[in-house]
Amino acid sequence: MTDILRLAAEEQYKTELDALIAAETETVPRGWRLSPRSVLTYIIGGTAKGVEITPKYFGNRGLVETAVATLMTDRGLLLLGEPGTAKTWLSEHLAAAVCGDSTLLVQGTMGVSEEAIKYGWNYATLIAAGPTPAALVKTPIYRAMEEGRVARFEELSRCAPEVQDALISILSEKSIAIPELSTQLRAKKGFALIATANTRDRGVNDMSAALKRRFNAVYLPAPATPETEIEIVTRRVAQISAGLEFCAVPPRQAIETVVTIFRELRQGRTLDGRETLKRPTASCSTAEAISLVMGAMAHAAGFGDGTVTDAHIAAGLTGAIVKDDEKDAAVLREYAENVLKHRNGSKSLYERLTAV
Amino acid sequence: MAVSLSTRDLLRCSPLLHIFGVRHLSPGASREILTLCEKVRPDAVLVEGPSDATGIMAELTREGCVPPVAVLAYTEAPPVRSFMLPFASYSPEYIAIKWALENGADAEFIDLPSTATLAKLSRKNTVEKPEGMEEELSVYQRFALASGETDFDAFWENAFEHLPDGGYRQAAFAFGEGMRSLSAPSEENLTRERFMRSRIRAASTRGYRDILVVCGAYHAPELDKEYPDETPPELETVPGRLTLMPYSYLRLAAKTGYGAGNQSPFYYELLWKMRGNTADIPAAFFIGMAEVMREAGSFRSSAEVQDAVLLARALASLRGRREPVLEDLRRAAVTVLGRGEVQTVAEALAHMETGTAVGVLPEGALRTPTQDDFHRLLRERRLTAYLSPVAAELSLDLREKLTGGFGALLGRGRSEFLHRLDALEIGFGRIQSGGQTKAGWKENWVLQWSPEAEIALTEAALFGVTVESAAEARLNEQIKASASLARTADVLEKALLCGLPALFVTACAALRDSLAEREGFADAVSVCASLSRVLRYGSLRVTDTDAVSALLGRLFLRACLTLPEASFCDYQEARACLGNLHILAQVRAEHPTLTDGAQWDNAVAELSESERAAPLLSGYACALRLEAGTLDDKGLSVQISARLSPDWFEGLAARNRFMLVSRPALLRALDGFLETLDEGRFMRALVSLRRTFSSFTADEKSAVCKSLSAMWGLTPEAADRAVSGELTREETEHLAALRQMEG
Ligand SMILES: Nc1ncnc2c1ncn2[C@@H]1O[C@H](COP(=O)(O)OP(=O)(O)OP(=O)(O)O)[C@@H](O)[C@H]1O
Ligand SMILES: [Mg+2]
């Protein structure tokens, strides 16, 4: 969503991964491409043989350690958190670092069937030749097991209970029975599963205890302070824009403004704690702050002199918060009236917002 | 270890010196010391610890003495200074002493006598200081950082406690040298080392074959050094006493710093019990946790325990550790057993890390004079039966007339005794809130004895030889250290309850003397409240309350004068201020002759008219004026039209609901006001109105409904239906939104 050109992590950060492989001094677990410590370096940053490894996830090092350590054991890793707390982002980079392939992905929705988890059939071949290996359609999870790689499962909690049950057997037996062919697929060393789930989804609470028990849950918190959130947005914006054509300077002031507004709306309270606010249905996450700022910069570079102005931010805010919900329009309007109007230096943003 | 040849050459049959540097409370050291003892079988064991406490070693190792226990040293003369030297079952010093006494070796403490340490503490004017090395803490932190660890305890555990057998002594020696090169030893440490060397020299002349010296790792490199013509240091001492007292893991864990405590005593005890089987520690730890969790009703399977072990190992390997350290175990516990949530495992973790062990001393062991006094008083006050771990209630009657002379004396004596214990923070009796009734002659207590109380009792000896003198000394120190009028007033109240007239006079004087300082509204009110209570109960306890009356008058005045400033604040602060204003109004009502009525009326009037004050407070002030009759209906309607807002209304209603119910004009004005609001402001007003009305009783609510229905021309039934009927879906949604705004 933030990256305009969407390369898989292992492609985009190939130089870094290659450098880490070349610099490897520690034991690499079977089926992995890097030692666990190098995976950690890849995620939190460092250097490898003089190559700078950029930090991918900003936050508590301990969380990342727990995530990497989990992949070393045979439990699944479940990344939990509010929207936009880098669950998907971290899962993709972990997969890229551990096995060099972040693309074995199942997107969880209500409609996902057991066939999308284990295997399906190519019905034409099936009818023509009967149940043969050639007729079997492999799922990303099937392939990950077969090749000893990391499979990713997005939005696990949105899936129906039977699908979740299918995962239980995969996680506990590390095999898939294929009765039609009287065989079974047994996972190769290196197979691991990283799932993400959004705590705003009702489903998280409904996940069965049996399934939860198969996973190590790691909560990714929203950034603890405005300062860290500003830091995250600034660094990510710099990283992303470095790879893009347009040259607009990451606007410090604009980032501060956006992060402040998003935090206040997210928490339903002004940062000084004095006023309660209505919360919009939009999540106002760090991720959305990043894409808002990126959008504003793209606009400034394309149609202006590269300087991000209040007009760009106002447009971005309206886009990010209002989206399709009429009520959110009122929430934003109220916020402008009650907070921005009275805040020093927010006059022009207030005017832009209320003029829209 | 380098053995000083010159020492041995000096005397023909000079012994072999085995210097063993340890960290206090380190099970790894204990393990290796035991091995060394069995191998070398030293005939003398010299241990870092106050040399005048050697006599206590016998008590320490006596049958029935169960660590954690501590040697307590305290000055004889007030102000009491003291320090403690705690021992756990896994302390290397304790293990070495025990081995010596059980194996017929001589044992001796060789550090500065406690009387010298107490003299130093008296000079420094500190109440208590943990043994030894506190000032070097930052150096330890630096050492940990240099080895790539963030936390000294994790560093220590990995580098020392998990060392394979035989490595500890060397490693600790190198550690000590490293420390010394990082920070030059203090004068104090040099003196201590010079003293310890002199004790070692003295022991060396007594014909021993092998001498084991157990000391802090920091000192180890210095103790077998030879300095020509070295003499023992000159020491200044003060008279002091030594005793042994039960200690607890909780206390041990509360002390921080390299030498002082041990953040995880139960866990370190586990390390000790595992005797070096480091590989089995994670499983033992998680099994222990699972047991605690099962008792609390949540089941964890052995598969999960196994998974936790694996995760802990993986975490340790990421940090390059041999085996998981406590930090790794903790994180694995949260992730696997807690399923990602700290809360779920907090109790089980605390159990496995800190534990609840409390030391025991055998019957007839050393007792402090305060303990003796306590037991005597217990008998005199006929409270011996309450010395039980089972909580029991006790109701006291302080009146003299009704129950006859002796009975009243008994009640008052008991009350004072319990209040004195309370002042000493000996958790024996808890007074029930509201236990001291309005009438003031009755107190309800819950009495319960616990090992923690026993410890606190032993520590009371730090303040005085009797319960009375200890309580008095303790409260006196509090007066001296008091940073605010409110704290001093607190002590004044306690002095009264404890029956300490001299202290009462001191506290009064201290209060008077500090009045010149600037105190804000909140402080002034809280002192007023204290003083008002003192006056209320004073006649039952001490007679002379004139000084208190005068003080109350002055503080009441100060509260009135600081009220305007305190009232310029936001809503949250105004809520706290409202509580204080309420108290002040009570004080005014209770002591009409001691408080300045004109000032009060002024302050209230000013507040109700103020443009800048928080509306909540001016609303409340308005209610006060109505009550006092200084504002009539006409005045009220002026006020309403000038400042009606939800907050203002809340303040008004906080004082006098009857008035609300009885003045339809007020409701009408409110109704009109609400009509003028736009959607957003209306919702905010609703939040505040909900808050206001939620404190009304059912009767009050129904009276308001009646007024409203009359106003809107509704039948009472229709009004009733509107209020108590089912909510529509839309209303439910609105309510949910409101709750979100409130929360
Ligand atoms: N702590 C963080 N460190 C680095 N990047 C972060 C952090 N928090 C958010 N981001 C950024 O947010 C963006 C997207 O987050 P991502 O899509 O992974 O969130 P998510 O948790 O999966 O959200 P959702 O629940 O909506 O799926 C990424 O560009 C990521 O870099
Ligand atoms: Mg996601």
Side-chain angles (χ1 to χ4, degrees):
Chain A
M1 157 177 47
T2 52
D3 304 26
I4 288 177
L5 194 67
R6 202 67 188 90
L7 284 175
E10 59 274 20
E11 292 161 348
Q12 203 182 345
Y13 292 92
K14 185 166 186 320
T15 333
E16 291 187 10
L17 288 168
D18 287 347
L20 282 165
I21 292 175
E24 191 61 77
T25 54
E26 293 185 28
T27 342
V28 176
R30 284 256 299 283
W32 287 36
R33 290 216 311 167
L34 290 173
S35 70
R37 282 230 248 183
S38 301
V39 173
L40 190 66
T41 309
Y42 174 74
I43 304 287
I44 64 179
T47 54
K49 279 248 171 89
V51 177
E52 191 204 340
I53 309 297
T54 54
K56 314 298 176 304
Y57 179 78
F58 305 105
N60 184 333
R61 175 196 167 111
L63 290 180
V64 183
E65 282 178 350
T66 307
V68 175
T70 295
L71 297 177
M72 298 164 69
T73 71
D74 61 359
R75 280 161 75 95
L77 171 62
L78 175 59
L79 299 174
L80 290 170
E82 294 270 304
T85 45
K87 300 179 292 293
T88 302
W89 174 251
L90 181 58
S91 118
E92 182 181 348
H93 282 286
L94 282 171
V98 167
C99 70
D101 184 355
S102 63
T103 62
L104 297 170
L105 174 72
V106 178
Q107 188 68 46
T109 60
M110 241 352 249
V112 168
S113 66
E114 205 181 324
E115 287 190 352
I117 306 277
K118 295 181 165 173
Y119 56 87
W121 295 103
N122 178 330
Y123 284 94
T125 322
L126 187 67
I127 291 163
T132 61
L136 189 113
V137 178
K138 297 173 183 175
T139 63
I141 294 181
Y142 190 105
R143 283 181 40 214
M145 292 174 76
E146 193 175 46
E147 297 163 19
R149 288 171 190 268
V150 177
R152 293 171 50 213
F153 203 122
E154 282 287 303
E155 311 293 357
L156 174 63
S157 53
R158 293 193 186 156
C159 297
E162 340 39 293
V163 173
Q164 297 187 9
D165 285 346
L167 269 186
I168 294 182
S169 78
I170 289 177
L171 279 172
S172 49
E173 278 126 52
K174 298 281 171 332
S175 66
I176 294 179
I178 312 169
E180 298 89 339
L181 302 180
S182 330
T183 99
Q184 64 169 343
L185 167 72
R186 303 185 52 170
K188 230 171 110 181
K189 271 228 166 352
F191 168 67
L193 186 70
I194 306 178
T196 66
N198 187 324
T199 41
R200 278 238 195 142
D201 282 350
R202 173 139 303 167
V204 175
N205 309 320
D206 302 341
M207 271 173 66
S208 72
L211 183 59
K212 279 193 196 157
R213 234 186 354 252
R214 299 298 190 290
F215 280 106
N216 281 352
V218 173
Y219 280 91
L220 301 185
T225 62
E227 291 73 36
T228 35
E229 188 158 5
I230 290 169
E231 162 91 6
I232 293 173
V233 174
T234 309
R235 295 182 75 154
R236 283 292 296 141
V237 164
Q239 280 174 357
I240 299 169
S241 53
L244 297 175
E245 309 287 276
F246 64 80
C247 52
V249 214
R252 184 79 197 169
Q253 185 58 47
I255 291 178
E256 274 179 33
T257 308
V258 171
V259 167
T260 305
I261 295 176
F262 271 30
R263 284 184 82 87
E264 293 189 326
L265 287 173
R266 200 158 71 207
Q267 296 164 358
R269 188 168 277 278
T270 50
L271 291 191
D272 60 15
R274 295 209 168 191
E275 281 209 62
T276 37
L277 305 167
K278 256 192 225 159
R279 277 186 253 184
T281 43
S283 64
C284 297
S285 65
T286 314
E288 279 176 303
I290 294 171
S291 62
L292 193 164
V293 174
M294 285 310 300
M297 282 169 70
H299 227 78
F303 306 96
D305 62 357
T307 322
V308 173
T309 64
D310 283 338
H312 297 125
I313 298 181
L317 282 173
T318 314
I321 297 171
V322 177
K323 286 192 189 124
D324 42 23
D325 197 325
E326 267 308 304
K327 275 195 210 130
D328 282 353
V331 171
L332 181 59
R333 177 95 196 189
E334 215 178 300
Y335 177 80
E337 292 291 346
N338 289 332
V339 182
L340 289 180
K341 191 174 177 182
H342 313 291
R343 188 169 278 170
N344 276 346
S346 297
K347 196 103 203 131
S348 94
L349 184 58
Y350 162 75
E351 279 159 9
R352 300 279 175 188
L353 271 178
T354 43
V356 172
Chain B
M1 207 73 4
V3 172
S4 163
L5 283 179
S6 46
T7 312
R8 265 198 283 166
D9 294 344
L10 211 61
L11 294 154
R12 217 162 32 88
C13 50
S14 55
L16 208 53
L17 265 189
H18 307 268
I19 310 265
F20 199 122
V22 304
R23 182 184 185 189
H24 307 306
L25 300 158
S26 157
S30 303
R31 218 168 53 210
E32 216 168 295
I33 283 178
L34 261 193
T35 317
L36 185 72
C37 282
E38 289 303 333
K39 195 169 121 215
V40 176
R41 304 203 68 80
D43 40 6
V45 172
L46 309 185
V47 177
E48 181 186 313
S51 51
D52 50 351
T54 296
I56 285 185
M57 285 183 170
E59 292 292 327
L60 190 62
T61 52
R62 217 168 91 176
E63 171 104 40
C65 171
V66 186
V69 291
V71 172
L72 168 70
Y74 56 101
T75 53
E76 265 173 21
V80 178
R81 299 288 175 257
S82 72
F83 68 90
M84 268 179 278
L85 187 63
F87 295 102
S89 60
Y90 51 84
S91 292
E93 295 89 342
Y94 173 75
I95 295 298
I97 294 168
K98 210 159 144 229
W99 187 91
L101 298 195
E102 281 167 6
N103 290 273
D106 289 343
E108 193 187 324
F109 281 126
I110 55 165
D111 202 349
L112 300 183
S114 63
T115 49
T117 313
L118 290 171
K120 191 198 73 201
L121 290 176
S122 304
R123 275 200 308 279
K124 280 200 188 162
N125 214 19
T126 33
V127 177
E128 185 188 318
K129 194 162 164 290
E131 157 80 348
M133 310 172 118
E134 197 178 48
E135 57 284 333
E136 289 125 33
L137 187 71
S138 65
V139 185
Y140 294 100
Q141 220 63 34
R142 271 197 277 154
F143 207 91
L145 287 180
S147 2
E149 291 276 8
T150 45
D151 165 61
F152 184 78
D153 278 332
F155 158 74
W156 182 271
E157 190 185 345
N158 181 56
F160 289 87
E161 303 304 330
H162 293 176
L163 271 181
D165 278 339
Y168 191 102
R169 196 167 155 207
Q170 252 76 348
F173 193 83
F175 175 76
E177 285 188 319
M179 281 298 124
R180 299 189 84 91
S181 70
L182 278 179
S183 83
S186 61
E187 201 51 46
E188 181 194 338
N189 273 327
L190 290 175
T191 309
R192 289 175 58 196
E193 284 156 5
R194 196 166 139 206
F195 186 85
M196 288 196 266
R197 277 193 300 271
S198 75
R199 306 302 298 185
I200 296 172
R201 274 196 308 273
S204 301
T205 60
R206 273 180 242 139
Y208 294 123
R209 167 181 43 82
D210 283 278
I211 297 181
L212 169 66
V213 179
V214 178
C215 61
Y218 187 82
H219 304 300
E222 277 296 304
L223 292 194
D224 60 355
K225 285 227 176 98
E226 196 54 41
Y227 293 96
D229 303 326
E230 189 180 53
T231 52
E234 297 283 332
L235 298 175
E236 190 197 324
T237 60
V238 294
R241 292 170 191 238
L242 282 157
T243 186
L244 201 58
M245 55 182 261
Y247 213 63
S248 78
Y249 276 179
L250 275 172
R251 271 170 186 257
L252 213 48
K255 302 215 162 189
T256 51
Y258 167 83
N262 185 194
Q263 278 181 11
S264 329
F266 188 86
Y267 175 67
Y268 269 54
E269 184 189 317
L270 179 70
L271 294 186
W272 168 240
K273 285 187 183 148
M274 300 301 285
R275 297 288 142 98
N277 287 325
T278 31
D280 297 341
I281 291 165
F285 185 85
F286 295 124
I287 289 171
M289 278 189 70
E291 264 163 28
V292 178
M293 291 177 78
R294 184 162 45 242
E295 269 161 35
S298 49
F299 180 78
R300 292 294 182 270
S301 68
S302 54
E304 280 169 292
V305 166
Q306 195 51 39
D307 283 345
V309 172
L310 290 178
L311 183 63
R313 292 238 159 83
L315 283 167
S317 79
L318 270 178
R319 289 278 180 147
R321 293 171 181 146
R322 288 173 243 272
E323 289 289 341
V325 299
L326 181 56
E327 189 191 329
D328 300 316
L329 299 179
R330 205 181 280 146
R331 273 157 59 184
V334 171
T335 309
V336 181
L337 303 186
R339 313 215 166 122
E341 285 170 45
V342 185
Q343 229 42 46
T344 318
V345 285
E347 194 199 327
L349 267 180
H351 195 282
M352 294 304 292
E353 288 184 27
T354 311
T356 50
V358 176
V360 185
L361 290 183
E363 273 300 318
L366 302 169
R367 242 192 198 179
T368 61
T370 331
Q371 274 171 309
D372 290 334
D373 186 51
F374 170 82
H375 287 284
R376 191 181 53 79
L377 289 168
L378 215 54
R379 275 193 305 276
E380 255 180 46
R381 306 277 187 267
R382 304 192 194 161
L383 291 170
T384 316
Y386 292 91
L387 206 61
S388 137
V390 182
E393 289 182 18
L394 174 67
S395 182
L396 299 181
D397 187 337
L398 312 181
R399 282 170 305 178
E400 212 150 343
K401 280 188 216 139
L402 274 184
T403 38
F406 183 71
L409 280 180
L410 180 69
R412 208 173 111 181
R414 283 171 154 187
S415 163
E416 287 174 357
F417 175 60
L418 292 172
H419 279 294
R420 285 172 187 175
L421 294 179
D422 194 50
L424 285 165
E425 285 170 36
I426 297 172
F428 177 38
R430 266 174 295 123
I431 192 158
Q432 299 307 96
S433 56
Q436 179 131 47
T437 55
K438 272 249 158 61
W441 47 260
K442 211 175 151 212
E443 281 180 352
N444 292 318
W445 291 80
V446 173
L447 304 184
Q448 182 173 27
W449 194 240
S450 66
E452 289 291 320
E454 182 83 52
I455 294 181
L457 174 61
T458 325
E459 277 176 20
L462 306 180
F463 296 95
V465 278
T466 62
V467 170
E468 177 176 355
S469 65
E472 182 149 9
R474 179 80 184 258
L475 292 175
N476 238 322
E477 287 201 349
Q478 285 178 11
I479 294 177
K480 282 200 203 106
S482 167
S484 69
L485 276 186
R487 289 286 301 135
T488 314
D490 237 31
V491 179
L492 179 75
E493 230 180 300
K494 280 192 189 145
L496 179 75
L497 298 173
C498 289
L500 298 169
L503 186 76
F504 187 81
V505 172
T506 316
C508 256
L511 212 49
R512 208 174 33 240
D513 292 347
S514 48
L515 260 190
E517 293 157 26
R518 285 202 56 76
E519 299 284 341
F521 177 70
D523 265 321
V525 172
S526 105
V527 176
C528 278
S530 289
L531 296 179
S532 162
R533 278 192 298 270
V534 166
L535 288 175
R536 197 182 308 153
Y537 311 131
S539 57
L540 276 165
R541 309 264 187 177
V542 268
T543 39
D544 182 23
T545 51
D546 288 355
V548 178
S549 307
L551 276 173
L552 178 67
R554 289 178 63 178
L555 275 155
F556 185 82
L557 180 63
R558 165 153 304 167
C560 290
L561 296 178
T562 46
L563 176 57
E565 198 184 311
S567 63
F568 306 147
C569 56
D570 69 10
Y571 178 77
Q572 285 308 328
E573 288 160 343
R575 303 257 324 173
C577 195
L578 184 80
N580 283 328
L581 197 52
H582 190 71
I583 294 173
L584 201 61
Q586 269 175 355
V587 170
R588 165 79 192 130
E590 197 172 330
H591 308 282
T593 55
L594 300 179
T595 53
D596 188 333
Q599 284 291 348
W600 168 247
D601 290 346
N602 246 341
V604 171
E606 195 187 318
L607 179 57
S608 84
E609 307 277 348
S610 166
E611 292 294 336
R612 287 173 59 204
L616 182 76
L617 297 173
S618 33
Y620 189 83
C622 196
L624 283 173
R625 290 177 71 189
L626 284 170
E627 212 174 278
T630 55
L631 190 72
D632 54 13
D633 272 6
K634 205 161 129 256
L636 177 64
S637 48
V638 174
Q639 292 288 325
I640 291 174
S641 56
R643 50 190 95 242
L644 181 60
S645 73
D647 287 358
W648 185 85
F649 181 74
E650 185 181 352
L652 186 74
R655 181 78 203 173
N656 192 338
R657 290 172 196 151
F658 173 73
M659 190 194 61
L660 263 186
V661 177
S662 62
R663 281 190 173 78
L666 184 59
L667 290 174
R668 209 168 305 127
L670 183 64
D671 185 40
F673 169 75
L674 291 175
E675 290 287 340
T676 66
L677 298 181
D678 62 23
E679 162 85 10
R681 282 159 172 258
F682 178 70
M683 289 297 265
R684 286 154 177 279
L686 269 190
V687 170
S688 150
L689 287 177
R690 267 168 58 80
R691 197 166 41 219
T692 306
F693 283 111
S694 65
S695 59
F696 278 45
T697 65
D699 282 352
E700 287 164 344
K701 282 182 193 162
S702 96
V704 170
C705 274
K706 259 199 211 113
S707 295
L708 285 175
S709 52
M711 190 168 89
W712 289 323
L714 300 174
T715 63
E717 296 76 54
D720 194 50
R721 233 176 301 126
V723 173
S724 47
E726 291 260 308
L727 292 179
T728 66
R729 231 185 96 182
E730 202 187 353
E731 284 167 336
T732 317
E733 272 171 21
H734 270 129
L735 270 180
L738 281 182
R739 282 202 193 99
Q740 201 196 354
M741 280 175 81
E742 284 174 90

